[in-house]
Amino acid sequence: MTTTTAPPIRIGKPAVAALGLLAVASGALESVVTPTLPLLQRELDMSPAEGALLGIMLLITGALVTPVAGKFGDRYGGKRVLARLMAVVGVGGMVSSLAPNLPVLLLGQLLQGAMVGALPLSFILVRAHLPEGESKVAIGVVSGLFVAGGMAGTLSAGPVAEGLSRHWMFALPTLAVIGSTLLVNRLMPQDPPVRSDGTGIDWPGLVLLSGTLITLMLVLQLAPEAGSQPLALGALVVVLAAFVAGWIAAERRATSPLVDLHMLARPAVWKSCVLTFMICVGTSGALYLVPQLFDVPTDAYGFGAGATEIGFFLLPGTVAASVAGPLGGMGARRFGSRAVVTAGIVLMAGSLLVLAAVHTEIWHLVAAKTAIALGSGLCVTAMVTSTATSVEHGDTGIATSLVLVTRVLGYAVGMQACGAILTAGTPSGSHVPAESAFVTGFVLAGAVTALSLLVARTMSKGVTE
């Protein structure tokens, strides 16, 4: 192991401001798809299942890039890795903005997912160049600006897509990402590598996990067409099983695995992973279904909302998610993680089941989506706190990487399942799913969320409070 001998150069407010601008631009670029997904489905002639795949493609890349980005940052320096990852994000944004069809847009989103791994590197840079007290403030500011960027993207995506075009809703935040990245590169001092532990990157594990996630998405997307394409679906299931078996074998043999499967044997960790998966399935159900229901024409059973209106309707949920983090942290400290998680699950499950029964007014959807976002935020914060405090300090990164992969799986399965339900519930010759398909999706998401209470009950013994 090698360590740096020279103290890091202290950065000033302009450098922190540049990181803040990068966070705003990244948050805006990340959030433009959700409120405009119904519009994209119409313009690119996508099925609901294909729309769900588009909605989670960015998260899949993030789950793969994040653990690798940290190691590269240690080995080559955070600034160098951050600049290169944001260059990938810039390319992805431009590909998305120029995409003429779904496959090209999926490629763009795949590249944009590098921002999920790049943002934590900015926190590493802040910690490396500022004293502890100032670094906490700076990290809080950058985190808050990323959330603010997400809100700005949610609000602006619709007006830009409808007033200009869908191409500009990707291009404008991408140009902001490129400009702010150049500013960070100019103002942020170079940070030398902090260590080299000689373990290397688990490339076989990364490749096999990528294949597992992508094949799983294809299986879920093809599921509604199982009757017409049984052989294709069966072949994909076999390929998925092969990828999973190969990935497990590779991770068990790896010196420094991408995901330490041995840690899953610890009760605190596997319970956290199971809870995270089930909660994210419920959250993703609302995240996908609510905008789709807003978009249903008024002459059917929906509200005929455009992308601009959908962005405004989703904003309260975004605000609720941003305040849920601090509330969850304070609640976990005062009442314990189990109480916070239980409260969040009850709020989410109740809201999803109410949505299944009552969704005839806009305020029904807005209120329920806000409650679900609040409950999900409370659960995620409490679970992260529980996971981080239930393992040794040196194992925190490994444990949280397991939770990250599980979170992505939960979102992916939930959104693809709901997309498959809407696709299967769409009559031949129509682009409008039957209302019963939405009811089924909300009930399924609510039931999975409610079942997570069975795991939450054991947290007092399995998870450190």
PDB file of all heavy atoms in Angstrom, residues 183-221:
ATOM      1  N   LEU A 183     -15.545  23.325 -16.170  1.00  0.00           N
ATOM      2  CA  LEU A 183     -15.280  24.261 -15.077  1.00  0.00           C
ATOM      3  C   LEU A 183     -14.643  23.548 -13.889  1.00  0.00           C
ATOM      4  O   LEU A 183     -13.685  24.053 -13.286  1.00  0.00           O
ATOM      5  CB  LEU A 183     -16.589  24.936 -14.667  1.00  0.00           C
ATOM      6  CG  LEU A 183     -16.491  26.227 -13.848  1.00  0.00           C
ATOM      7  CD1 LEU A 183     -15.723  27.290 -14.599  1.00  0.00           C
ATOM      8  CD2 LEU A 183     -17.890  26.725 -13.495  1.00  0.00           C
ATOM      9  N   VAL A 184     -15.153  22.372 -13.542  1.00  0.00           N
ATOM     10  CA  VAL A 184     -14.567  21.587 -12.454  1.00  0.00           C
ATOM     11  C   VAL A 184     -13.129  21.206 -12.791  1.00  0.00           C
ATOM     12  O   VAL A 184     -12.226  21.291 -11.959  1.00  0.00           O
ATOM     13  CB  VAL A 184     -15.411  20.319 -12.190  1.00  0.00           C
ATOM     14  CG1 VAL A 184     -14.671  19.357 -11.266  1.00  0.00           C
ATOM     15  CG2 VAL A 184     -16.758  20.688 -11.581  1.00  0.00           C
ATOM     16  N   ASN A 185     -12.905  20.815 -14.022  1.00  0.00           N
ATOM     17  CA  ASN A 185     -11.558  20.415 -14.438  1.00  0.00           C
ATOM     18  C   ASN A 185     -10.573  21.571 -14.344  1.00  0.00           C
ATOM     19  O   ASN A 185      -9.379  21.376 -14.061  1.00  0.00           O
ATOM     20  CB  ASN A 185     -11.605  19.882 -15.867  1.00  0.00           C
ATOM     21  CG  ASN A 185     -10.356  19.119 -16.243  1.00  0.00           C
ATOM     22  OD1 ASN A 185      -9.988  18.153 -15.584  1.00  0.00           O
ATOM     23  ND2 ASN A 185      -9.682  19.551 -17.306  1.00  0.00           N
ATOM     24  N   ARG A 186     -11.075  22.776 -14.545  1.00  0.00           N
ATOM     25  CA  ARG A 186     -10.200  23.953 -14.489  1.00  0.00           C
ATOM     26  C   ARG A 186      -9.953  24.405 -13.050  1.00  0.00           C
ATOM     27  O   ARG A 186      -8.829  24.791 -12.696  1.00  0.00           O
ATOM     28  CB  ARG A 186     -10.822  25.096 -15.293  1.00  0.00           C
ATOM     29  CG  ARG A 186     -10.006  26.384 -15.265  1.00  0.00           C
ATOM     30  CD  ARG A 186     -10.673  27.460 -16.100  1.00  0.00           C
ATOM     31  NE  ARG A 186      -9.923  28.712 -16.047  1.00  0.00           N
ATOM     32  CZ  ARG A 186      -8.877  29.001 -16.806  1.00  0.00           C
ATOM     33  NH1 ARG A 186      -8.445  28.119 -17.697  1.00  0.00           N
ATOM     34  NH2 ARG A 186      -8.269  30.156 -16.693  1.00  0.00           N
ATOM     35  N   LEU A 187     -10.977  24.375 -12.207  1.00  0.00           N
ATOM     36  CA  LEU A 187     -10.871  24.945 -10.863  1.00  0.00           C
ATOM     37  C   LEU A 187     -10.430  23.945  -9.798  1.00  0.00           C
ATOM     38  O   LEU A 187      -9.885  24.344  -8.761  1.00  0.00           O
ATOM     39  CB  LEU A 187     -12.221  25.542 -10.447  1.00  0.00           C
ATOM     40  CG  LEU A 187     -12.728  26.719 -11.287  1.00  0.00           C
ATOM     41  CD1 LEU A 187     -14.109  27.158 -10.819  1.00  0.00           C
ATOM     42  CD2 LEU A 187     -11.755  27.901 -11.203  1.00  0.00           C
ATOM     43  N   MET A 188     -10.667  22.665 -10.023  1.00  0.00           N
ATOM     44  CA  MET A 188     -10.353  21.654  -9.010  1.00  0.00           C
ATOM     45  C   MET A 188      -8.900  21.211  -9.148  1.00  0.00           C
ATOM     46  O   MET A 188      -8.478  20.794 -10.232  1.00  0.00           O
ATOM     47  CB  MET A 188     -11.280  20.447  -9.159  1.00  0.00           C
ATOM     48  CG  MET A 188     -11.078  19.369  -8.090  1.00  0.00           C
ATOM     49  SD  MET A 188     -11.545  19.910  -6.441  1.00  0.00           S
ATOM     50  CE  MET A 188     -13.294  20.226  -6.653  1.00  0.00           C
ATOM     51  N   PRO A 189      -8.100  21.308  -8.067  1.00  0.00           N
ATOM     52  CA  PRO A 189      -6.706  20.842  -8.150  1.00  0.00           C
ATOM     53  C   PRO A 189      -6.628  19.338  -8.340  1.00  0.00           C
ATOM     54  O   PRO A 189      -7.535  18.599  -7.975  1.00  0.00           O
ATOM     55  CB  PRO A 189      -6.111  21.274  -6.807  1.00  0.00           C
ATOM     56  CG  PRO A 189      -7.279  21.386  -5.893  1.00  0.00           C
ATOM     57  CD  PRO A 189      -8.436  21.837  -6.745  1.00  0.00           C
ATOM     58  N   GLN A 190      -5.514  18.911  -8.911  1.00  0.00           N
ATOM     59  CA  GLN A 190      -5.313  17.481  -9.140  1.00  0.00           C
ATOM     60  C   GLN A 190      -5.075  16.780  -7.813  1.00  0.00           C
ATOM     61  O   GLN A 190      -4.336  17.263  -6.958  1.00  0.00           O
ATOM     62  CB  GLN A 190      -4.098  17.274 -10.048  1.00  0.00           C
ATOM     63  CG  GLN A 190      -4.042  15.915 -10.703  1.00  0.00           C
ATOM     64  CD  GLN A 190      -5.142  15.709 -11.732  1.00  0.00           C
ATOM     65  OE1 GLN A 190      -6.017  14.875 -11.537  1.00  0.00           O
ATOM     66  NE2 GLN A 190      -5.111  16.477 -12.814  1.00  0.00           N
ATOM     67  N   ASP A 191      -5.722  15.667  -7.620  1.00  0.00           N
ATOM     68  CA  ASP A 191      -5.500  14.880  -6.401  1.00  0.00           C
ATOM     69  C   ASP A 191      -4.752  13.605  -6.772  1.00  0.00           C
ATOM     70  O   ASP A 191      -5.191  12.866  -7.653  1.00  0.00           O
ATOM     71  CB  ASP A 191      -6.821  14.543  -5.691  1.00  0.00           C
ATOM     72  CG  ASP A 191      -7.743  13.722  -6.555  1.00  0.00           C
ATOM     73  OD1 ASP A 191      -7.920  14.080  -7.741  1.00  0.00           O
ATOM     74  OD2 ASP A 191      -8.297  12.721  -6.066  1.00  0.00           O
ATOM     75  N   PRO A 192      -3.621  13.338  -6.139  1.00  0.00           N
ATOM     76  CA  PRO A 192      -2.865  12.128  -6.452  1.00  0.00           C
ATOM     77  C   PRO A 192      -3.582  10.897  -5.922  1.00  0.00           C
ATOM     78  O   PRO A 192      -4.427  10.993  -5.030  1.00  0.00           O
ATOM     79  CB  PRO A 192      -1.534  12.344  -5.729  1.00  0.00           C
ATOM     80  CG  PRO A 192      -1.878  13.253  -4.592  1.00  0.00           C
ATOM     81  CD  PRO A 192      -2.976  14.146  -5.098  1.00  0.00           C
ATOM     82  N   PRO A 193      -3.264   9.723  -6.466  1.00  0.00           N
ATOM     83  CA  PRO A 193      -3.859   8.482  -5.940  1.00  0.00           C
ATOM     84  C   PRO A 193      -3.558   8.344  -4.455  1.00  0.00           C
ATOM     85  O   PRO A 193      -2.468   8.670  -3.989  1.00  0.00           O
ATOM     86  CB  PRO A 193      -3.162   7.393  -6.759  1.00  0.00           C
ATOM     87  CG  PRO A 193      -2.710   8.077  -8.009  1.00  0.00           C
ATOM     88  CD  PRO A 193      -2.363   9.476  -7.600  1.00  0.00           C
ATOM     89  N   VAL A 194      -4.522   7.853  -3.704  1.00  0.00           N
ATOM     90  CA  VAL A 194      -4.338   7.727  -2.259  1.00  0.00           C
ATOM     91  C   VAL A 194      -3.874   6.356  -1.847  1.00  0.00           C
ATOM     92  O   VAL A 194      -3.307   6.171  -0.785  1.00  0.00           O
ATOM     93  CB  VAL A 194      -5.645   8.078  -1.505  1.00  0.00           C
ATOM     94  CG1 VAL A 194      -6.008   9.525  -1.741  1.00  0.00           C
ATOM     95  CG2 VAL A 194      -6.779   7.162  -1.933  1.00  0.00           C
ATOM     96  N   ARG A 195      -4.143   5.329  -2.679  1.00  0.00           N
ATOM     97  CA  ARG A 195      -3.663   4.010  -2.326  1.00  0.00           C
ATOM     98  C   ARG A 195      -3.673   3.096  -3.538  1.00  0.00           C
ATOM     99  O   ARG A 195      -4.351   3.343  -4.525  1.00  0.00           O
ATOM    100  CB  ARG A 195      -4.508   3.376  -1.211  1.00  0.00           C
ATOM    101  CG  ARG A 195      -5.892   2.917  -1.644  1.00  0.00           C
ATOM    102  CD  ARG A 195      -6.520   2.063  -0.547  1.00  0.00           C
ATOM    103  NE  ARG A 195      -7.785   1.536  -0.951  1.00  0.00           N
ATOM    104  CZ  ARG A 195      -8.949   2.094  -0.682  1.00  0.00           C
ATOM    105  NH1 ARG A 195      -8.971   3.215  -0.007  1.00  0.00           N
ATOM    106  NH2 ARG A 195     -10.070   1.548  -1.082  1.00  0.00           N
ATOM    107  N   SER A 196      -2.930   2.038  -3.460  1.00  0.00           N
ATOM    108  CA  SER A 196      -2.943   0.989  -4.472  1.00  0.00           C
ATOM    109  C   SER A 196      -2.847  -0.336  -3.742  1.00  0.00           C
ATOM    110  O   SER A 196      -1.772  -0.718  -3.285  1.00  0.00           O
ATOM    111  CB  SER A 196      -1.777   1.159  -5.439  1.00  0.00           C
ATOM    112  OG  SER A 196      -1.756   0.115  -6.379  1.00  0.00           O
ATOM    113  N   ASP A 197      -4.000  -1.033  -3.579  1.00  0.00           N
ATOM    114  CA  ASP A 197      -3.993  -2.255  -2.779  1.00  0.00           C
ATOM    115  C   ASP A 197      -3.670  -3.502  -3.604  1.00  0.00           C
ATOM    116  O   ASP A 197      -3.577  -4.595  -3.063  1.00  0.00           O
ATOM    117  CB  ASP A 197      -5.341  -2.455  -2.067  1.00  0.00           C
ATOM    118  CG  ASP A 197      -6.509  -2.406  -3.033  1.00  0.00           C
ATOM    119  OD1 ASP A 197      -6.276  -2.574  -4.250  1.00  0.00           O
ATOM    120  OD2 ASP A 197      -7.634  -2.205  -2.557  1.00  0.00           O
ATOM    121  N   GLY A 198      -3.473  -3.335  -4.908  1.00  0.00           N
ATOM    122  CA  GLY A 198      -3.028  -4.446  -5.741  1.00  0.00           C
ATOM    123  C   GLY A 198      -4.079  -5.504  -6.023  1.00  0.00           C
ATOM    124  O   GLY A 198      -3.768  -6.534  -6.615  1.00  0.00           O
ATOM    125  N   THR A 199      -5.337  -5.273  -5.625  1.00  0.00           N
ATOM    126  CA  THR A 199      -6.359  -6.309  -5.827  1.00  0.00           C
ATOM    127  C   THR A 199      -6.976  -6.266  -7.221  1.00  0.00           C
ATOM    128  O   THR A 199      -7.493  -7.262  -7.698  1.00  0.00           O
ATOM    129  CB  THR A 199      -7.468  -6.164  -4.778  1.00  0.00           C
ATOM    130  OG1 THR A 199      -8.009  -4.835  -4.842  1.00  0.00           O
ATOM    131  CG2 THR A 199      -6.918  -6.421  -3.375  1.00  0.00           C
ATOM    132  N   GLY A 200      -6.953  -5.120  -7.864  1.00  0.00           N
ATOM    133  CA  GLY A 200      -7.494  -5.024  -9.214  1.00  0.00           C
ATOM    134  C   GLY A 200      -9.019  -4.964  -9.243  1.00  0.00           C
ATOM    135  O   GLY A 200      -9.693  -5.015  -8.221  1.00  0.00           O
ATOM    136  N   ILE A 201      -9.538  -4.858 -10.450  1.00  0.00           N
ATOM    137  CA  ILE A 201     -10.977  -4.767 -10.669  1.00  0.00           C
ATOM    138  C   ILE A 201     -11.513  -6.153 -11.016  1.00  0.00           C
ATOM    139  O   ILE A 201     -10.900  -6.907 -11.771  1.00  0.00           O
ATOM    140  CB  ILE A 201     -11.295  -3.783 -11.810  1.00  0.00           C
ATOM    141  CG1 ILE A 201     -10.664  -2.412 -11.520  1.00  0.00           C
ATOM    142  CG2 ILE A 201     -12.798  -3.650 -12.001  1.00  0.00           C
ATOM    143  CD1 ILE A 201     -11.186  -1.722 -10.303  1.00  0.00           C
ATOM    144  N   ASP A 202     -12.661  -6.482 -10.476  1.00  0.00           N
ATOM    145  CA  ASP A 202     -13.287  -7.773 -10.743  1.00  0.00           C
ATOM    146  C   ASP A 202     -14.023  -7.697 -12.082  1.00  0.00           C
ATOM    147  O   ASP A 202     -15.251  -7.619 -12.141  1.00  0.00           O
ATOM    148  CB  ASP A 202     -14.249  -8.115  -9.597  1.00  0.00           C
ATOM    149  CG  ASP A 202     -14.981  -9.431  -9.818  1.00  0.00           C
ATOM    150  OD1 ASP A 202     -14.482 -10.258 -10.600  1.00  0.00           O
ATOM    151  OD2 ASP A 202     -16.053  -9.617  -9.206  1.00  0.00           O
ATOM    152  N   TRP A 203     -13.235  -7.742 -13.183  1.00  0.00           N
ATOM    153  CA  TRP A 203     -13.834  -7.620 -14.510  1.00  0.00           C
ATOM    154  C   TRP A 203     -14.773  -8.774 -14.852  1.00  0.00           C
ATOM    155  O   TRP A 203     -15.856  -8.540 -15.421  1.00  0.00           O
ATOM    156  CB  TRP A 203     -12.740  -7.482 -15.574  1.00  0.00           C
ATOM    157  CG  TRP A 203     -11.971  -6.205 -15.473  1.00  0.00           C
ATOM    158  CD1 TRP A 203     -10.656  -6.045 -15.146  1.00  0.00           C
ATOM    159  CD2 TRP A 203     -12.470  -4.878 -15.696  1.00  0.00           C
ATOM    160  NE1 TRP A 203     -10.303  -4.714 -15.137  1.00  0.00           N
ATOM    161  CE2 TRP A 203     -11.403  -3.977 -15.471  1.00  0.00           C
ATOM    162  CE3 TRP A 203     -13.718  -4.367 -16.040  1.00  0.00           C
ATOM    163  CZ2 TRP A 203     -11.535  -2.604 -15.602  1.00  0.00           C
ATOM    164  CZ3 TRP A 203     -13.863  -3.000 -16.167  1.00  0.00           C
ATOM    165  CH2 TRP A 203     -12.781  -2.130 -15.960  1.00  0.00           C
ATOM    166  N   PRO A 204     -14.414 -10.042 -14.557  1.00  0.00           N
ATOM    167  CA  PRO A 204     -15.381 -11.122 -14.844  1.00  0.00           C
ATOM    168  C   PRO A 204     -16.708 -10.924 -14.117  1.00  0.00           C
ATOM    169  O   PRO A 204     -17.782 -11.123 -14.697  1.00  0.00           O
ATOM    170  CB  PRO A 204     -14.649 -12.382 -14.362  1.00  0.00           C
ATOM    171  CG  PRO A 204     -13.200 -12.035 -14.446  1.00  0.00           C
ATOM    172  CD  PRO A 204     -13.118 -10.589 -14.081  1.00  0.00           C
ATOM    173  N   GLY A 205     -16.641 -10.525 -12.839  1.00  0.00           N
ATOM    174  CA  GLY A 205     -17.870 -10.286 -12.094  1.00  0.00           C
ATOM    175  C   GLY A 205     -18.682  -9.159 -12.686  1.00  0.00           C
ATOM    176  O   GLY A 205     -19.916  -9.225 -12.755  1.00  0.00           O
ATOM    177  N   LEU A 206     -17.996  -8.094 -13.146  1.00  0.00           N
ATOM    178  CA  LEU A 206     -18.691  -6.950 -13.741  1.00  0.00           C
ATOM    179  C   LEU A 206     -19.392  -7.346 -15.033  1.00  0.00           C
ATOM    180  O   LEU A 206     -20.567  -7.010 -15.250  1.00  0.00           O
ATOM    181  CB  LEU A 206     -17.687  -5.825 -14.006  1.00  0.00           C
ATOM    182  CG  LEU A 206     -18.249  -4.550 -14.643  1.00  0.00           C
ATOM    183  CD1 LEU A 206     -19.263  -3.891 -13.714  1.00  0.00           C
ATOM    184  CD2 LEU A 206     -17.119  -3.583 -14.977  1.00  0.00           C
ATOM    185  N   VAL A 207     -18.698  -8.096 -15.883  1.00  0.00           N
ATOM    186  CA  VAL A 207     -19.284  -8.513 -17.164  1.00  0.00           C
ATOM    187  C   VAL A 207     -20.469  -9.451 -16.939  1.00  0.00           C
ATOM    188  O   VAL A 207     -21.535  -9.301 -17.564  1.00  0.00           O
ATOM    189  CB  VAL A 207     -18.212  -9.192 -18.039  1.00  0.00           C
ATOM    190  CG1 VAL A 207     -18.858  -9.818 -19.276  1.00  0.00           C
ATOM    191  CG2 VAL A 207     -17.146  -8.180 -18.451  1.00  0.00           C
ATOM    192  N   LEU A 208     -20.311 -10.405 -16.040  1.00  0.00           N
ATOM    193  CA  LEU A 208     -21.387 -11.378 -15.797  1.00  0.00           C
ATOM    194  C   LEU A 208     -22.589 -10.729 -15.114  1.00  0.00           C
ATOM    195  O   LEU A 208     -23.740 -11.079 -15.410  1.00  0.00           O
ATOM    196  CB  LEU A 208     -20.857 -12.536 -14.952  1.00  0.00           C
ATOM    197  CG  LEU A 208     -19.872 -13.469 -15.682  1.00  0.00           C
ATOM    198  CD1 LEU A 208     -19.175 -14.391 -14.695  1.00  0.00           C
ATOM    199  CD2 LEU A 208     -20.608 -14.278 -16.744  1.00  0.00           C
ATOM    200  N   LEU A 209     -22.347  -9.766 -14.205  1.00  0.00           N
ATOM    201  CA  LEU A 209     -23.465  -9.055 -13.586  1.00  0.00           C
ATOM    202  C   LEU A 209     -24.189  -8.207 -14.618  1.00  0.00           C
ATOM    203  O   LEU A 209     -25.423  -8.116 -14.604  1.00  0.00           O
ATOM    204  CB  LEU A 209     -22.965  -8.191 -12.427  1.00  0.00           C
ATOM    205  CG  LEU A 209     -24.030  -7.385 -11.678  1.00  0.00           C
ATOM    206  CD1 LEU A 209     -25.090  -8.311 -11.089  1.00  0.00           C
ATOM    207  CD2 LEU A 209     -23.392  -6.542 -10.569  1.00  0.00           C
ATOM    208  N   SER A 210     -23.439  -7.589 -15.528  1.00  0.00           N
ATOM    209  CA  SER A 210     -24.069  -6.822 -16.608  1.00  0.00           C
ATOM    210  C   SER A 210     -24.971  -7.715 -17.439  1.00  0.00           C
ATOM    211  O   SER A 210     -26.121  -7.369 -17.748  1.00  0.00           O
ATOM    212  CB  SER A 210     -22.992  -6.197 -17.505  1.00  0.00           C
ATOM    213  OG  SER A 210     -22.126  -5.367 -16.770  1.00  0.00           O
ATOM    214  N   GLY A 211     -24.450  -8.886 -17.822  1.00  0.00           N
ATOM    215  CA  GLY A 211     -25.255  -9.818 -18.600  1.00  0.00           C
ATOM    216  C   GLY A 211     -26.488 -10.283 -17.850  1.00  0.00           C
ATOM    217  O   GLY A 211     -27.570 -10.426 -18.438  1.00  0.00           O
ATOM    218  N   THR A 212     -26.344 -10.495 -16.534  1.00  0.00           N
ATOM    219  CA  THR A 212     -27.485 -10.929 -15.718  1.00  0.00           C
ATOM    220  C   THR A 212     -28.585  -9.878 -15.702  1.00  0.00           C
ATOM    221  O   THR A 212     -29.771 -10.185 -15.925  1.00  0.00           O
ATOM    222  CB  THR A 212     -27.018 -11.212 -14.275  1.00  0.00           C
ATOM    223  OG1 THR A 212     -26.051 -12.267 -14.290  1.00  0.00           O
ATOM    224  CG2 THR A 212     -28.193 -11.620 -13.402  1.00  0.00           C
ATOM    225  N   LEU A 213     -28.220  -8.624 -15.457  1.00  0.00           N
ATOM    226  CA  LEU A 213     -29.217  -7.560 -15.369  1.00  0.00           C
ATOM    227  C   LEU A 213     -29.898  -7.325 -16.712  1.00  0.00           C
ATOM    228  O   LEU A 213     -31.126  -7.180 -16.791  1.00  0.00           O
ATOM    229  CB  LEU A 213     -28.565  -6.274 -14.867  1.00  0.00           C
ATOM    230  CG  LEU A 213     -28.058  -6.287 -13.421  1.00  0.00           C
ATOM    231  CD1 LEU A 213     -27.314  -5.000 -13.091  1.00  0.00           C
ATOM    232  CD2 LEU A 213     -29.207  -6.493 -12.440  1.00  0.00           C
ATOM    233  N   ILE A 214     -29.117  -7.285 -17.777  1.00  0.00           N
ATOM    234  CA  ILE A 214     -29.698  -7.026 -19.106  1.00  0.00           C
ATOM    235  C   ILE A 214     -30.607  -8.178 -19.533  1.00  0.00           C
ATOM    236  O   ILE A 214     -31.715  -7.952 -20.056  1.00  0.00           O
ATOM    237  CB  ILE A 214     -28.573  -6.803 -20.132  1.00  0.00           C
ATOM    238  CG1 ILE A 214     -27.835  -5.490 -19.812  1.00  0.00           C
ATOM    239  CG2 ILE A 214     -29.136  -6.752 -21.546  1.00  0.00           C
ATOM    240  CD1 ILE A 214     -26.603  -5.262 -20.653  1.00  0.00           C
ATOM    241  N   THR A 215     -30.169  -9.417 -19.296  1.00  0.00           N
ATOM    242  CA  THR A 215     -31.001 -10.564 -19.672  1.00  0.00           C
ATOM    243  C   THR A 215     -32.288 -10.603 -18.849  1.00  0.00           C
ATOM    244  O   THR A 215     -33.362 -10.940 -19.366  1.00  0.00           O
ATOM    245  CB  THR A 215     -30.226 -11.876 -19.483  1.00  0.00           C
ATOM    246  OG1 THR A 215     -28.972 -11.799 -20.163  1.00  0.00           O
ATOM    247  CG2 THR A 215     -31.007 -13.053 -20.041  1.00  0.00           C
ATOM    248  N   LEU A 216     -32.192 -10.255 -17.558  1.00  0.00           N
ATOM    249  CA  LEU A 216     -33.392 -10.201 -16.718  1.00  0.00           C
ATOM    250  C   LEU A 216     -34.390  -9.199 -17.275  1.00  0.00           C
ATOM    251  O   LEU A 216     -35.604  -9.470 -17.321  1.00  0.00           O
ATOM    252  CB  LEU A 216     -33.000  -9.834 -15.286  1.00  0.00           C
ATOM    253  CG  LEU A 216     -34.152  -9.605 -14.305  1.00  0.00           C
ATOM    254  CD1 LEU A 216     -34.981 -10.881 -14.143  1.00  0.00           C
ATOM    255  CD2 LEU A 216     -33.622  -9.139 -12.951  1.00  0.00           C
ATOM    256  N   MET A 217     -33.912  -8.029 -17.717  1.00  0.00           N
ATOM    257  CA  MET A 217     -34.806  -7.028 -18.297  1.00  0.00           C
ATOM    258  C   MET A 217     -35.483  -7.557 -19.565  1.00  0.00           C
ATOM    259  O   MET A 217     -36.673  -7.335 -19.799  1.00  0.00           O
ATOM    260  CB  MET A 217     -34.027  -5.755 -18.621  1.00  0.00           C
ATOM    261  CG  MET A 217     -33.419  -5.037 -17.415  1.00  0.00           C
ATOM    262  SD  MET A 217     -34.632  -4.676 -16.142  1.00  0.00           S
ATOM    263  CE  MET A 217     -34.371  -6.048 -15.017  1.00  0.00           C
ATOM    264  N   LEU A 218     -34.716  -8.269 -20.384  1.00  0.00           N
ATOM    265  CA  LEU A 218     -35.290  -8.819 -21.611  1.00  0.00           C
ATOM    266  C   LEU A 218     -36.342  -9.881 -21.309  1.00  0.00           C
ATOM    267  O   LEU A 218     -37.374  -9.955 -21.987  1.00  0.00           O
ATOM    268  CB  LEU A 218     -34.174  -9.404 -22.482  1.00  0.00           C
ATOM    269  CG  LEU A 218     -33.172  -8.398 -23.058  1.00  0.00           C
ATOM    270  CD1 LEU A 218     -32.058  -9.120 -23.802  1.00  0.00           C
ATOM    271  CD2 LEU A 218     -33.868  -7.396 -23.978  1.00  0.00           C
ATOM    272  N   VAL A 219     -36.093 -10.698 -20.300  1.00  0.00           N
ATOM    273  CA  VAL A 219     -37.075 -11.721 -19.906  1.00  0.00           C
ATOM    274  C   VAL A 219     -38.380 -11.061 -19.462  1.00  0.00           C
ATOM    275  O   VAL A 219     -39.480 -11.463 -19.884  1.00  0.00           O
ATOM    276  CB  VAL A 219     -36.509 -12.616 -18.786  1.00  0.00           C
ATOM    277  CG1 VAL A 219     -37.610 -13.473 -18.160  1.00  0.00           C
ATOM    278  CG2 VAL A 219     -35.398 -13.511 -19.319  1.00  0.00           C
ATOM    279  N   LEU A 220     -38.275 -10.047 -18.616  1.00  0.00           N
ATOM    280  CA  LEU A 220     -39.475  -9.370 -18.125  1.00  0.00           C
ATOM    281  C   LEU A 220     -40.198  -8.637 -19.246  1.00  0.00           C
ATOM    282  O   LEU A 220     -41.429  -8.564 -19.266  1.00  0.00           O
ATOM    283  CB  LEU A 220     -39.092  -8.392 -17.012  1.00  0.00           C
ATOM    284  CG  LEU A 220     -38.589  -9.031 -15.705  1.00  0.00           C
ATOM    285  CD1 LEU A 220     -38.067  -7.965 -14.750  1.00  0.00           C
ATOM    286  CD2 LEU A 220     -39.686  -9.848 -15.045  1.00  0.00           C
ATOM    287  N   GLN A 221     -39.431  -8.079 -20.196  1.00  0.00           N
ATOM    288  CA  GLN A 221     -40.051  -7.366 -21.306  1.00  0.00           C
ATOM    289  C   GLN A 221     -40.793  -8.320 -22.236  1.00  0.00           C
ATOM    290  O   GLN A 221     -41.843  -7.992 -22.791  1.00  0.00           O
ATOM    291  CB  GLN A 221     -38.986  -6.613 -22.098  1.00  0.00           C
ATOM    292  CG  GLN A 221     -39.553  -5.777 -23.235  1.00  0.00           C
ATOM    293  CD  GLN A 221     -38.477  -5.069 -24.019  1.00  0.00           C
ATOM    294  OE1 GLN A 221     -37.351  -4.925 -23.566  1.00  0.00           O
ATOM    295  NE2 GLN A 221     -38.814  -4.629 -25.223  1.00  0.00           N
TER     296      GLN A 221
END
